[in-house]
Protein backbone atom coordinates (compact mmCIF):
# COMPACT_ATOMS: atom_id res chain seq x y z
CA UNK A 1 0.00 0.00 0.00
CA UNK A 2 1.18 3.51 -0.84
CA UNK A 3 0.85 6.15 1.88
CA UNK A 4 -2.13 8.47 1.31
CA UNK A 5 -0.02 11.51 0.43
CA UNK A 6 1.86 9.55 -2.26
CA UNK A 7 -1.44 8.37 -3.79
CA UNK A 8 -2.61 12.01 -3.98
CA UNK A 9 0.62 13.13 -5.64
CA UNK A 10 0.40 10.25 -8.14
CA UNK A 11 -3.19 11.10 -9.09
CA UNK A 12 -2.34 14.79 -9.61
CA UNK A 13 0.66 13.94 -11.77
CA UNK A 14 -1.49 11.65 -13.94
CA UNK A 15 -4.48 13.99 -14.17
CA UNK A 16 -2.85 17.35 -15.02
CA UNK A 17 -1.42 16.27 -18.40
CA UNK A 18 -4.86 14.94 -19.36
CA UNK A 19 -6.49 18.27 -18.42
CA UNK A 20 -3.95 20.36 -20.32
CA UNK A 21 -4.25 18.32 -23.53
CA UNK A 22 -7.95 19.29 -23.72
CA UNK A 23 -7.22 23.01 -23.38
CA UNK A 24 -7.10 24.79 -26.71
CA UNK A 25 -3.90 26.66 -27.50
CA UNK A 26 -4.13 30.19 -26.14
CA UNK A 27 -7.04 29.36 -23.82
CA UNK A 28 -4.92 30.02 -20.74
CA UNK A 29 -5.15 33.67 -19.70
CA UNK A 30 -2.13 35.69 -20.75
CA UNK A 31 -0.12 37.15 -17.90
CA UNK A 32 -0.89 40.85 -17.60
CA UNK A 33 1.67 43.23 -16.16
CA UNK A 34 0.53 44.71 -12.87
CA UNK A 35 -0.85 48.23 -12.93
CA UNK A 36 2.19 50.49 -12.90
CA UNK A 37 2.88 53.61 -10.96
CA UNK A 38 2.53 56.57 -13.33
CA UNK A 39 4.69 59.69 -13.30
CA UNK A 40 4.11 62.48 -15.82
CA UNK A 41 7.02 64.93 -15.86
CA UNK A 42 6.00 68.11 -17.65
CA UNK A 43 8.71 70.61 -18.51
CA UNK A 44 7.90 74.26 -19.16
CA UNK A 45 8.81 76.01 -22.45
CA UNK A 46 11.16 73.20 -23.51
CA UNK A 47 11.72 72.93 -27.25
CA UNK A 48 12.14 69.97 -29.58
CA UNK A 49 15.78 70.88 -30.11
CA UNK A 50 16.67 71.59 -26.47
CA UNK A 51 17.78 68.05 -25.51
CA UNK A 52 20.80 66.06 -26.57
CA UNK A 53 18.63 62.99 -27.21
CA UNK A 54 16.79 65.11 -29.82
CA UNK A 55 20.00 66.24 -31.46
CA UNK A 56 21.15 69.25 -29.42
CA UNK A 57 24.93 69.59 -29.71
CA UNK A 58 25.49 72.62 -27.49
CA UNK A 59 24.14 71.10 -24.27
CA UNK A 60 24.05 67.64 -22.66
CA UNK A 61 20.98 66.26 -20.88
CA UNK A 62 22.10 62.80 -19.66
CA UNK A 63 19.18 62.07 -17.34
CA UNK A 64 16.49 62.83 -19.89
CA UNK A 65 18.61 60.98 -22.43
CA UNK A 66 18.41 57.98 -20.08
CA UNK A 67 14.64 57.95 -20.54
CA UNK A 68 15.16 57.90 -24.32
CA UNK A 69 17.83 55.23 -24.06
CA UNK A 70 15.60 52.99 -21.91
CA UNK A 71 12.23 53.66 -23.58
CA UNK A 72 10.48 55.25 -26.54
CA UNK A 73 11.44 58.58 -28.09
CA UNK A 74 8.56 60.10 -30.04
CA UNK A 75 9.39 62.09 -33.14
CA UNK A 76 5.83 63.41 -33.41
CA UNK A 77 4.79 64.05 -29.83
CA UNK A 78 2.59 67.09 -29.29
CA UNK A 79 1.13 69.24 -26.58
CA UNK A 80 -2.30 70.67 -27.36
CA UNK A 81 -1.41 74.36 -27.12
CA UNK A 82 1.66 76.55 -27.37
CA UNK A 83 1.16 78.18 -23.96
CA UNK A 84 1.08 76.69 -20.50
CA UNK A 85 -2.42 77.16 -19.04
CA UNK A 86 -4.34 75.67 -22.01
CA UNK A 87 -1.99 72.70 -22.35
CA UNK A 88 -2.25 71.88 -18.65
CA UNK A 89 -6.01 72.28 -18.76
CA UNK A 90 -6.24 69.89 -21.73
CA UNK A 91 -3.84 67.35 -20.22
CA UNK A 92 -5.95 67.09 -17.08
CA UNK A 93 -9.42 67.25 -18.65
CA UNK A 94 -8.87 65.51 -21.98
CA UNK A 95 -10.56 68.48 -23.66
CA UNK A 96 -9.12 71.12 -25.96
CA UNK A 97 -8.88 74.35 -24.02
CA UNK A 98 -10.49 76.46 -26.73
CA UNK A 99 -13.78 74.78 -25.78
CA UNK A 100 -13.84 76.55 -22.41
CA UNK A 101 -13.68 80.36 -22.21
CA UNK A 102 -11.10 81.81 -19.84
CA UNK A 103 -8.41 79.18 -20.40
CA UNK A 104 -5.84 81.57 -21.79
CA UNK A 105 -2.71 82.37 -19.78
CA UNK A 106 -4.11 82.66 -16.25
CA UNK A 107 -3.51 85.97 -14.39
CA UNK A 108 -2.19 86.08 -10.80
CA UNK A 109 -5.64 86.20 -9.19
CA UNK A 110 -7.28 83.55 -11.38
CA UNK A 111 -9.74 81.26 -9.62
CA UNK A 112 -10.15 77.57 -10.43
CA UNK A 113 -10.48 76.91 -14.16
CA UNK A 114 -11.39 73.26 -13.59
CA UNK A 115 -14.45 72.99 -11.39
CA UNK A 116 -15.18 70.19 -8.89
CA UNK A 117 -17.01 67.33 -10.55
CA UNK A 118 -15.07 67.69 -13.80
CA UNK A 119 -13.53 64.31 -14.68
CA UNK A 120 -9.75 64.50 -14.88
CA UNK A 121 -6.89 62.09 -15.38
CA UNK A 122 -6.34 62.37 -11.62
CA UNK A 123 -9.95 61.63 -10.66
CA UNK A 124 -10.10 58.56 -12.91
CA UNK A 125 -6.85 57.19 -11.50
CA UNK A 126 -8.05 58.03 -7.99
CA UNK A 127 -11.22 56.03 -8.68
CA UNK A 128 -8.98 53.17 -9.80
CA UNK A 129 -7.32 53.09 -6.38
CA UNK A 130 -4.26 55.20 -7.16
CA UNK A 131 -2.70 57.66 -4.73
CA UNK A 132 -2.51 60.94 -6.64
CA UNK A 133 -0.46 64.12 -6.31
CA UNK A 134 0.63 67.17 -8.27
CA UNK A 135 3.88 68.83 -7.24
CA UNK A 136 5.22 71.96 -8.91
CA UNK A 137 3.70 74.58 -11.16
CA UNK A 138 -0.11 74.78 -11.30
CA UNK A 139 -1.24 77.94 -13.16
CA UNK A 140 -4.86 76.78 -13.43
CA UNK A 141 -6.34 79.02 -10.77
CA UNK A 142 -7.24 78.43 -7.12
CA UNK A 143 -10.39 79.19 -5.16
CA UNK A 144 -13.70 80.61 -6.29
CA UNK A 145 -15.49 83.91 -6.57
CA UNK A 146 -13.79 87.06 -7.74
CA UNK A 147 -10.31 86.13 -6.50
CA UNK A 148 -8.50 83.53 -4.37
CA UNK A 149 -8.58 83.79 -0.58
CA UNK A 150 -4.82 83.83 -0.15
CA UNK A 151 -5.12 83.99 3.64
CA UNK A 152 -7.68 81.20 3.95
CA UNK A 153 -8.57 77.94 2.26
CA UNK A 154 -7.71 77.95 -1.43
CA UNK A 155 -10.66 75.86 -2.57
CA UNK A 156 -11.42 74.53 -5.07
CA UNK A 157 -8.08 73.44 -6.41
CA UNK A 158 -6.30 70.21 -7.33
CA UNK A 159 -7.65 68.35 -4.30
CA UNK A 160 -11.20 68.91 -5.54
CA UNK A 161 -10.57 67.40 -8.98
CA UNK A 162 -8.94 64.08 -8.12
CA UNK A 163 -5.60 64.84 -6.50
CA UNK A 164 -5.12 63.54 -2.95
CA UNK A 165 -2.27 65.98 -2.40
CA UNK A 166 -0.74 69.04 -3.99
CA UNK A 167 2.33 71.16 -3.31
CA UNK A 168 2.28 74.07 -5.69
CA UNK A 169 3.68 77.14 -7.27
CA UNK A 170 0.17 78.59 -7.59
CA UNK A 171 0.59 80.66 -10.76
CA UNK A 172 3.87 80.85 -12.68
CA UNK A 173 7.08 82.38 -11.51
CA UNK A 174 6.89 85.61 -13.48
CA UNK A 175 3.48 86.29 -11.92
CA UNK A 176 2.88 87.07 -8.26
CA UNK A 177 2.70 85.80 -5.55
CA UNK A 178 5.97 83.96 -4.86
CA UNK A 179 4.65 81.46 -2.28
CA UNK A 180 4.03 77.71 -1.98
CA UNK A 181 0.57 76.21 -1.50
CA UNK A 182 0.30 72.94 0.43
CA UNK A 183 -3.11 71.40 -0.35
CA UNK A 184 -5.35 74.37 0.55
CA UNK A 185 -3.10 76.79 2.43
CA UNK A 186 -0.16 79.08 1.73
CA UNK A 187 2.90 77.60 3.45
CA UNK A 188 4.41 79.51 6.40
CA UNK A 189 1.90 82.35 6.15
CA UNK A 190 1.97 84.63 9.19
CA UNK A 191 -1.59 85.74 10.05
CA UNK A 192 -0.14 89.00 11.34
CA UNK A 193 1.28 89.71 7.89
CA UNK A 194 -1.61 88.90 5.53
CA UNK A 195 -0.97 88.33 1.85
CA UNK A 196 -2.63 90.67 -0.65
CA UNK A 197 -2.54 90.23 -4.45
CA UNK A 198 -3.97 92.75 -6.90
CA UNK A 199 -3.64 94.89 -10.01
CA UNK A 200 -2.62 98.17 -8.39
CA UNK A 201 0.52 99.12 -6.53
CA UNK A 202 -0.10 99.12 -2.77
CA UNK A 203 1.57 102.02 -0.96
CA UNK A 204 3.79 102.88 -3.90
CA UNK A 205 6.18 99.97 -3.32
CA UNK A 206 9.30 99.64 -5.53
CA UNK A 207 8.75 98.25 -9.01
CA UNK A 208 10.87 97.25 -11.96
CA UNK A 209 10.17 100.67 -13.43
CA UNK A 210 10.99 102.82 -10.42
CA UNK A 211 13.92 100.75 -9.10
CA UNK A 212 15.29 99.15 -12.22
CA UNK A 213 18.87 99.76 -11.17
CA UNK A 214 18.43 97.48 -8.14
CA UNK A 215 17.42 94.38 -10.12
CA UNK A 216 19.69 91.35 -10.31
CA UNK A 217 17.95 90.35 -13.58
CA UNK A 218 16.70 93.12 -15.86
CA UNK A 219 13.40 92.95 -17.71
CA UNK A 220 13.07 93.44 -21.47
CA UNK A 221 9.30 93.90 -21.80
CA UNK A 222 6.52 93.80 -19.25
CA UNK A 223 7.52 91.99 -16.04
CA UNK A 224 8.22 95.31 -14.37
CA UNK A 225 5.84 95.47 -11.42
CA UNK A 226 6.41 94.01 -7.93
CA UNK A 227 10.07 93.24 -7.16
CA UNK A 228 10.82 90.03 -5.28
CA UNK A 229 14.23 88.40 -4.90
CA UNK A 230 15.75 91.13 -7.08
CA UNK A 231 13.43 90.29 -10.00
CA UNK A 232 10.37 92.27 -11.05
CA UNK A 233 7.16 90.38 -11.92
CA UNK A 234 3.72 90.68 -13.45
CA UNK A 235 1.22 91.94 -10.88
CA UNK A 236 1.38 93.41 -7.40
CA UNK A 237 1.37 91.91 -3.94
CA UNK A 238 2.22 92.78 -0.40
CA UNK A 239 2.56 90.98 2.93
CA UNK A 240 3.19 87.26 3.34
CA UNK A 241 6.90 87.86 3.78
CA UNK A 242 7.55 84.72 5.85
CA UNK A 243 5.92 82.62 3.13
CA UNK A 244 8.00 83.94 0.24
CA UNK A 245 10.70 81.83 -1.39
CA UNK A 246 13.78 82.27 -3.58
CA UNK A 247 13.59 81.37 -7.27
CA UNK A 248 16.86 79.50 -6.89
CA UNK A 249 15.30 76.98 -4.50
CA UNK A 250 12.25 75.90 -6.49
CA UNK A 251 13.76 72.85 -8.20
CA UNK A 252 15.14 71.51 -4.93
CA UNK A 253 11.73 71.86 -3.31
CA UNK A 254 9.96 69.93 -6.09
CA UNK A 255 12.54 67.16 -5.93
CA UNK A 256 12.62 66.76 -2.15
CA UNK A 257 8.85 66.91 -1.75
CA UNK A 258 8.33 64.42 -4.59
CA UNK A 259 10.89 61.99 -3.17
CA UNK A 260 9.17 62.01 0.22
CA UNK A 261 5.74 61.58 -1.34
CA UNK A 262 6.86 58.67 -3.53
CA UNK A 263 8.50 56.93 -0.58
CA UNK A 264 5.39 57.39 1.56
CA UNK A 265 3.16 55.85 -1.14
CA UNK A 266 5.52 53.26 -2.61
CA UNK A 267 3.41 50.29 -1.45
CA UNK A 268 0.32 51.31 -3.46
CA UNK A 269 -0.01 52.32 -7.08
CA UNK A 270 0.48 56.07 -7.42
CA UNK A 271 0.13 58.83 -9.99
CA UNK A 272 2.45 61.82 -9.69
CA UNK A 273 2.20 64.89 -11.91
CA UNK A 274 5.69 66.34 -11.53
CA UNK A 275 5.25 69.83 -12.94
CA UNK A 276 8.62 71.52 -13.15
CA UNK A 277 8.84 75.29 -13.55
CA UNK A 278 12.03 75.03 -15.60
CA UNK A 279 12.75 76.43 -18.11
CA UNK A 280 10.15 79.21 -17.81
CA UNK A 281 11.15 82.80 -17.05
CA UNK A 282 12.49 84.23 -14.88
CA UNK A 283 15.23 81.69 -15.38
CA UNK A 284 17.07 81.81 -12.09
CA UNK A 285 18.33 78.27 -11.40
CA UNK A 286 20.12 77.32 -8.20
CA UNK A 287 23.61 78.73 -7.84
CA UNK A 288 25.16 75.31 -8.43
CA UNK A 289 23.79 75.36 -12.01
CA UNK A 290 24.49 78.99 -12.86
CA UNK A 291 27.10 79.48 -15.59
CA UNK A 292 27.39 75.71 -16.07
CA UNK A 293 26.17 75.86 -19.67
CA UNK A 294 27.32 78.13 -22.46
CA UNK A 295 23.75 79.15 -23.28
CA UNK A 296 23.13 81.66 -20.50
CA UNK A 297 20.56 81.21 -17.77
CA UNK A 298 18.25 79.40 -20.20
CA UNK A 299 20.85 76.72 -20.76
CA UNK A 300 21.55 76.55 -17.04
CA UNK A 301 17.84 76.01 -16.42
CA UNK A 302 17.87 73.10 -18.90
CA UNK A 303 20.66 71.54 -16.85
CA UNK A 304 18.61 72.05 -13.69
CA UNK A 305 15.59 70.44 -15.36
CA UNK A 306 17.70 67.47 -16.38
CA UNK A 307 18.94 67.15 -12.80
CA UNK A 308 15.35 67.09 -11.53
CA UNK A 309 14.51 64.24 -13.91
CA UNK A 310 17.59 62.39 -12.69
CA UNK A 311 16.57 62.79 -9.08
CA UNK A 312 13.09 61.38 -9.79
CA UNK A 313 14.66 58.40 -11.58
CA UNK A 314 17.15 57.91 -8.74
CA UNK A 315 14.28 57.83 -6.25
CA UNK A 316 12.61 55.08 -8.27
CA UNK A 317 15.89 53.16 -8.42
CA UNK A 318 16.48 53.51 -4.69
CA UNK A 319 12.99 52.26 -3.82
CA UNK A 320 13.12 49.41 -6.35
CA UNK A 321 10.23 50.96 -8.29
CA UNK A 322 11.88 51.43 -11.68
CA UNK A 323 10.31 48.39 -13.35
CA UNK A 324 6.99 49.15 -11.67
CA UNK A 325 6.69 52.70 -12.97
CA UNK A 326 5.65 54.23 -16.28
CA UNK A 327 7.40 57.58 -16.73
CA UNK A 328 6.10 60.01 -19.35
CA UNK A 329 8.17 63.10 -20.15
CA UNK A 330 6.74 66.01 -22.13
CA UNK A 331 6.66 69.81 -22.34
CA UNK A 332 3.73 72.20 -22.02
CA UNK A 333 4.73 74.11 -25.16
CA UNK A 334 7.62 74.97 -27.38
CA UNK A 335 10.57 77.26 -26.70
CA UNK A 336 10.91 81.01 -26.34
CA UNK A 337 14.08 83.04 -25.95
CA UNK A 338 13.26 86.60 -24.88
CA UNK A 339 10.10 86.13 -22.82
CA UNK A 340 10.46 89.32 -20.81
CA UNK A 341 13.89 89.17 -19.16
CA UNK A 342 17.49 89.85 -20.13
CA UNK A 343 19.04 86.49 -19.26
CA UNK A 344 21.47 85.63 -22.06
CA UNK A 345 18.98 83.41 -23.90
CA UNK A 346 19.40 85.51 -27.07
CA UNK A 347 22.95 86.76 -26.81
CA UNK A 348 24.43 83.42 -25.77
CA UNK A 349 22.38 81.19 -28.08
CA UNK A 350 25.28 80.40 -30.41
CA UNK A 351 24.56 77.41 -32.65
CA UNK A 352 21.78 76.04 -30.46
CA UNK A 353 18.38 75.63 -32.17
CA UNK A 354 15.65 75.33 -29.50
CA UNK A 355 12.89 74.34 -31.96
CA UNK A 356 15.10 71.96 -33.92
CA UNK A 357 14.02 71.80 -37.55
CA UNK A 358 10.66 73.41 -36.85
CA UNK A 359 9.31 76.91 -37.36
CA UNK A 360 7.94 78.92 -34.46
CA UNK A 361 7.84 78.25 -30.76
CA UNK A 362 5.85 79.35 -27.75
CA UNK A 363 2.64 81.24 -28.64
CA UNK A 364 2.79 79.91 -32.23
CA UNK A 365 0.52 77.51 -34.14
CA UNK A 366 3.47 76.32 -36.21
CA UNK A 367 5.12 73.00 -35.40
CA UNK A 368 7.72 74.52 -33.09
CA UNK A 369 4.94 75.64 -30.75
CA UNK A 370 3.44 72.22 -30.05
CA UNK A 371 5.74 69.48 -31.35
CA UNK A 372 7.99 69.01 -28.34
CA UNK A 373 10.07 66.31 -26.63
CA UNK A 374 7.90 63.31 -25.70
CA UNK A 375 9.33 60.18 -24.05
CA UNK A 376 7.89 57.09 -22.36
CA UNK A 377 9.73 54.54 -20.23
CA UNK A 378 8.55 51.40 -18.44
CA UNK A 379 11.44 48.91 -18.29
CA UNK A 380 10.41 45.38 -19.15
CA UNK A 381 7.19 46.54 -20.83
CA UNK A 382 8.08 49.38 -23.21
CA UNK A 383 10.75 48.38 -25.75
CA UNK A 384 13.64 50.66 -26.54
CA UNK A 385 13.29 52.59 -29.76
CA UNK A 386 11.87 55.55 -31.65
CA UNK A 387 8.25 56.06 -32.66
CA UNK A 388 6.73 57.99 -35.53
CA UNK A 389 3.24 57.71 -34.03
CA UNK A 390 1.44 61.03 -33.49
CA UNK A 391 0.54 61.39 -29.81
CA UNK A 392 -0.67 64.36 -27.81
CA UNK A 393 -0.70 65.23 -24.12
CA UNK A 394 -4.50 65.60 -24.36
CA UNK A 395 -4.58 61.82 -24.98
CA UNK A 396 -2.99 60.86 -21.67
CA UNK A 397 -6.29 60.95 -19.78
CA UNK A 398 -8.04 58.33 -21.91
CA UNK A 399 -4.87 56.31 -22.44
CA UNK A 400 -4.10 56.03 -18.74
CA UNK A 401 -7.72 55.07 -18.00
CA UNK A 402 -7.33 52.28 -20.54
CA UNK A 403 -4.01 51.23 -18.99
CA UNK A 404 -5.59 50.67 -15.58
CA UNK A 405 -8.90 49.41 -17.05
CA UNK A 406 -10.89 52.14 -15.33
CA UNK A 407 -14.12 53.21 -17.06
CA UNK A 408 -14.38 56.91 -17.74
CA UNK A 409 -17.57 58.88 -17.14
CA UNK A 410 -19.84 59.44 -20.11
CA UNK A 411 -18.89 62.54 -22.10
CA UNK A 412 -15.59 62.82 -20.20
CA UNK A 413 -12.31 63.50 -22.07
CA UNK A 414 -14.06 64.49 -25.34
CA UNK A 415 -10.85 65.19 -27.29
CA UNK A 416 -8.66 62.53 -25.68
CA UNK A 417 -7.92 59.47 -27.83
CA UNK A 418 -6.74 56.05 -26.69
CA UNK A 419 -3.16 55.91 -27.97
CA UNK A 420 -1.98 53.53 -25.25
CA UNK A 421 -0.44 51.01 -27.64
CA UNK A 422 1.64 53.76 -29.20
CA UNK A 423 2.73 55.04 -25.79
CA UNK A 424 3.77 51.50 -24.87
CA UNK A 425 5.83 51.18 -28.03
CA UNK A 426 3.90 48.27 -29.49
CA UNK A 427 4.88 47.43 -33.09
CA UNK A 428 2.81 49.21 -35.73
CA UNK A 429 0.65 50.83 -33.04
CA UNK A 430 -1.49 53.62 -34.41
CA UNK A 431 -1.40 57.06 -32.93
CA UNK A 432 -3.53 59.98 -33.99
CA UNK A 433 -4.33 60.76 -37.60
CA UNK A 434 -4.96 64.43 -36.78
CA UNK A 435 -4.17 66.89 -34.02
CA UNK A 436 -5.05 70.49 -33.19
CA UNK A 437 -2.30 72.97 -32.24
CA UNK A 438 -3.67 75.98 -30.35
CA UNK A 439 -1.62 79.16 -30.63
CA UNK A 440 -2.47 82.56 -29.20
CA UNK A 441 -3.53 84.08 -32.54
CA UNK A 442 -4.11 81.01 -34.69
CA UNK A 443 -5.12 77.37 -34.67
CA UNK A 444 -3.15 74.68 -36.43
CA UNK A 445 -4.64 71.44 -37.69
CA UNK A 446 -2.40 68.59 -38.75
CA UNK A 447 -4.08 65.78 -40.72
CA UNK A 448 -1.58 63.19 -41.85
CA UNK A 449 1.25 65.11 -43.48
CA UNK A 450 -0.89 68.16 -44.25
CA UNK A 451 -0.93 71.16 -41.93
CA UNK A 452 -3.41 74.03 -41.91
CA UNK A 453 -2.70 77.23 -39.98
CA UNK A 454 -5.85 79.29 -39.47
CA UNK A 455 -5.30 82.83 -38.21
CA UNK A 456 -7.92 84.85 -36.42
CA UNK A 457 -8.83 88.28 -37.68
CA UNK A 458 -7.44 90.87 -35.32
CA UNK A 459 -9.16 94.07 -34.24
CA UNK A 460 -7.20 97.22 -34.95
CA UNK A 461 -8.01 100.08 -32.55
CA UNK A 462 -11.36 98.40 -31.87
CA UNK A 463 -12.81 99.59 -35.18
CA UNK A 464 -11.38 97.89 -38.24
CA UNK A 465 -10.07 94.41 -38.83
CA UNK A 466 -6.74 93.31 -40.22
CA UNK A 467 -5.39 89.88 -40.93
CA UNK A 468 -2.59 88.68 -38.67
CA UNK A 469 -0.95 86.84 -41.57
CA UNK A 470 -0.42 87.43 -45.27
CA UNK A 471 -3.48 85.22 -45.63
CA UNK A 472 -6.07 84.10 -43.14
CA UNK A 473 -5.16 80.48 -43.95
CA UNK A 474 -1.84 78.80 -44.71
CA UNK A 475 -1.20 75.23 -45.88
CA UNK A 476 1.98 73.16 -45.57
CA UNK A 477 3.18 69.69 -46.57
CA UNK A 478 5.09 68.50 -43.53
CA UNK A 479 6.60 65.42 -45.15
CA UNK A 480 8.31 67.68 -47.69
CA UNK A 481 8.62 70.84 -45.60
CA UNK A 482 8.93 70.15 -41.86
CA UNK A 483 9.97 73.75 -41.30
CA UNK A 484 6.74 75.14 -42.83
CA UNK A 485 8.67 77.47 -45.08
CA UNK A 486 6.47 77.21 -48.19
CA UNK A 487 2.78 78.04 -48.04
CA UNK A 488 1.17 75.83 -50.73
CA UNK A 489 -2.44 76.95 -50.28
CA UNK A 490 -2.66 78.32 -53.82
CA UNK A 491 -1.38 75.01 -55.24
CA UNK A 492 -3.82 72.85 -53.28
CA UNK A 493 -7.01 74.86 -52.69
CA UNK A 494 -9.21 71.76 -52.43
CA UNK A 495 -6.99 70.26 -49.71
CA UNK A 496 -7.07 73.60 -47.87
CA UNK A 497 -10.87 73.68 -48.06
CA UNK A 498 -11.02 70.11 -46.77
CA UNK A 499 -8.89 70.99 -43.73
CA UNK A 500 -10.77 74.25 -43.12
CA UNK A 501 -14.02 72.31 -43.01
CA UNK A 502 -12.51 69.68 -40.74
CA UNK A 503 -11.22 72.32 -38.33
CA UNK A 504 -14.67 73.89 -38.19
CA UNK A 505 -16.13 70.46 -37.39
CA UNK A 506 -13.66 69.93 -34.57
CA UNK A 507 -14.33 73.37 -33.13
CA UNK A 508 -18.06 72.77 -33.11
CA UNK A 509 -18.01 69.23 -31.67
CA UNK A 510 -15.72 66.96 -29.69
CA UNK A 511 -13.47 64.63 -31.67
CA UNK A 512 -13.52 61.39 -29.64
CA UNK A 513 -15.58 58.53 -31.00
Amino acid sequence: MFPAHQITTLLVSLTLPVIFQFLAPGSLPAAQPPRPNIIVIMADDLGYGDLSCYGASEIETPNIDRLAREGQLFRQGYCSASTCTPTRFSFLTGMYAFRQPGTGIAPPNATALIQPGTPTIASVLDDAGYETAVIGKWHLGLGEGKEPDWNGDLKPGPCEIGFDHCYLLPTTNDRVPQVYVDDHRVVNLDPNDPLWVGKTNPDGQPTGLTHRDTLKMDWSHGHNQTIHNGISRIGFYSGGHAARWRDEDLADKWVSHSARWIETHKDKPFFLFFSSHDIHVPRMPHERFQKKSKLGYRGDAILELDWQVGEVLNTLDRLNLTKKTLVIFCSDNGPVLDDGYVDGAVTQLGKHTPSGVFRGGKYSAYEGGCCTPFLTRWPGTIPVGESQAIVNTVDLATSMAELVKQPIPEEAFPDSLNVLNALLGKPDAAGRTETVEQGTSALGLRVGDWKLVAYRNKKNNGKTFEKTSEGLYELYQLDKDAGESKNVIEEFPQKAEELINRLEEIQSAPTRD
Side-chain angles (χ1 to χ4, degrees):
M1 292 288 294
F2 289 105
H5 72 276
Q6 290 187 10
I7 294 174
T8 301
T9 301
L10 181 62
L11 288 172
V12 170
S13 66
L14 292 172
T15 304
L16 285 178
V18 175
I19 293 173
F20 279 112
Q21 71 177 332
F22 285 102
L23 289 174
S27 62
L28 289 175
Q32 295 293 326
R35 297 189 306 174
N37 306 310
I38 301 168
I39 298 179
V40 174
I41 302 174
M42 184 174 285
D44 200 326
D45 294 359
L46 186 74
Y48 189 92
D50 275 329
L51 304 175
S52 45
C53 58
Y54 276 87
S57 59
E58 304 301 295
I59 196 164
E60 294 291 329
T61 50
N63 296 300
I64 302 174
D65 291 359
R66 178 187 170 189
L67 289 174
R69 191 172 62 251
E70 297 177 357
Q72 286 284 308
L73 181 149
F74 287 82
R75 289 294 178 186
Q76 302 182 104
Y78 287 82
C79 53
S80 60
S82 61
T83 50
C84 49
T85 296
T87 284
R88 292 160 194 273
F89 175 90
S90 297
F91 156 62
L92 291 174
T93 65
M95 179 172 70
Y96 288 136
F98 62 72
R99 300 198 190 283
Q100 178 167 312
T103 53
I105 302 173
N109 260 339
T111 52
L113 296 176
I114 305 175
Q115 289 298 302
T118 304
T120 67
I121 184 174
S123 67
V124 166
L125 291 173
D126 188 63
D127 289 343
Y130 275 63
E131 298 292 328
T132 57
V134 52
I135 297 172
K137 174 179 172 175
W138 183 238
H139 207 192
L140 289 166
L142 294 169
E144 58 187 351
K146 293 184 178 180
E147 58 187 38
D149 180 6
W150 295 106
N151 299 287
D153 282 337
L154 291 165
K155 292 182 179 181
C159 295
E160 284 65 54
I161 57 170
F163 288 103
D164 300 316
H165 175 59
C166 66
Y167 197 91
L168 307 174
L169 166 64
T171 56
T172 191
N173 205 10
D174 60 343
R175 287 162 173 77
V176 300
Q178 278 59 54
V179 296
Y180 297 117
V181 172
D182 186 350
D183 289 344
H184 297 118
R185 304 287 296 194
V186 172
V187 177
N188 294 330
L189 186 61
D190 181 355
N192 295 316
D193 183 26
L195 178 62
W196 174 88
V197 179
K199 297 180 180 179
T200 57
N201 188 349
D203 305 323
Q205 67 181 9
T207 70
L209 288 171
T210 63
H211 289 69
R212 193 169 188 171
D213 59 342
T214 69
L215 300 176
K216 68 181 182 184
M217 177 177 284
D218 197 10
W219 53 274
S220 58
H221 55 85
H223 302 85
N224 53 27
Q225 297 174 330
T226 293
I227 297 173
H228 169 71
N229 190 32
I231 303 169
S232 51
R233 322 279 170 153
I234 295 173
F236 296 99
Y237 73 123
S238 63
H241 289 86
R244 301 189 188 190
W245 39 250
R246 293 194 326 148
D247 304 72
E248 294 88 341
D249 299 326
L250 282 172
D252 288 270
K253 179 61 71 173
W254 310 143
V255 163
S256 61
H257 201 87
S258 294
R260 287 195 300 272
W261 187 85
I262 291 172
E263 185 155 15
T264 300
H265 298 91
K266 61 183 174 60
D267 296 325
K268 291 186 65 179
F270 62 77
F271 165 57
L272 171 63
F273 176 23
F274 183 95
S275 182
S276 175
H277 182 267
D278 286 321
I279 56 175
H280 195 282
V281 296
R283 301 165 184 131
M284 186 55 63
H286 194 276
E287 287 85 352
R288 64 183 183 276
F289 295 103
Q290 293 180 18
K291 299 183 180 179
K292 297 300 182 182
S293 78
K294 56 183 178 181
L295 303 178
Y297 278 112
R298 186 176 185 275
D300 300 342
I302 294 174
L303 297 181
E304 182 173 75
L305 169 67
D306 184 69
W307 170 80
Q308 291 171 74
V309 172
E311 290 301 296
V312 172
L313 300 185
N314 290 342
T315 297
L316 297 177
D317 290 342
R318 175 173 59 85
L319 298 175
N320 196 30
L321 296 175
T322 299
K323 293 185 177 180
K324 302 175 183 178
T325 305
L326 166 62
V327 177
I328 301 171
F329 178 89
C330 56
S331 180
D332 66 350
N333 51 252
V336 59
L337 297 179
D338 182 354
D339 205 23
Y341 293 96
V342 181
D343 60 4
V346 176
T347 58
Q348 295 178 248
L349 182 62
K351 299 178 181 179
H352 185 63
T353 54
S355 293
V357 299
F358 299 129
R359 175 182 178 180
K362 186 175 182 178
Y363 309 115
S364 165
Y366 297 111
E367 290 294 282
C370 291
C371 191
T372 63
F374 202 116
L375 304 161
T376 61
R377 187 198 76 163
W378 182 7
T381 300
I382 294 179
V384 175
E386 291 191 5
S387 175
Q388 295 294 331
I390 299 175
V391 295
N392 193 308
T393 51
V394 74
D395 299 326
L396 293 180
T398 294
S399 300
M400 293 304 99
E402 174 65 23
L403 176 65
V404 303
K405 302 302 181 186
Q406 178 66 26
I408 61 176
E410 188 176 356
E411 298 183 0
F413 310 157
D415 299 300
S416 181
L417 304 185
N418 177 15
V419 295
L420 179 62
N421 286 342
L423 296 174
L424 296 182
K426 294 189 176 182
D428 302 319
R432 286 178 158 262
T433 58
E434 62 183 24
T435 191
V436 173
E437 303 171 53
Q438 179 181 342
T440 55
S441 62
L443 285 176
L445 172 63
R446 176 179 179 176
V447 179
D449 290 321
W450 291 95
K451 170 72 175 293
L452 177 78
V453 178
Y455 279 88
R456 301 181 182 93
N457 273 336
K458 182 179 180 183
K459 277 189 177 182
N460 182 19
N461 298 324
K463 296 180 180 179
T464 61
F465 286 85
E466 62 181 1
K467 293 179 179 179
T468 58
S469 168
E470 61 184 48
L472 189 60
Y473 298 105
E474 299 172 359
L475 184 69
Y476 300 96
Q477 290 179 284
L478 296 180
D479 56 335
K480 299 177 181 180
D481 180 22
E484 295 168 288
S485 61
K486 183 182 179 183
N487 181 4
V488 295
I489 195 166
E490 293 185 359
E491 298 174 49
F492 301 97
Q494 289 183 327
K495 176 57 69 172
E497 184 177 0
E498 175 188 325
L499 267 62
I500 291 169
N501 291 336
R502 178 59 186 143
L503 181 58
E504 290 176 351
E505 289 175 359
I506 293 172
Q507 288 180 275
S508 63
T511 58
R512 183 164 63 87
D513 292 336

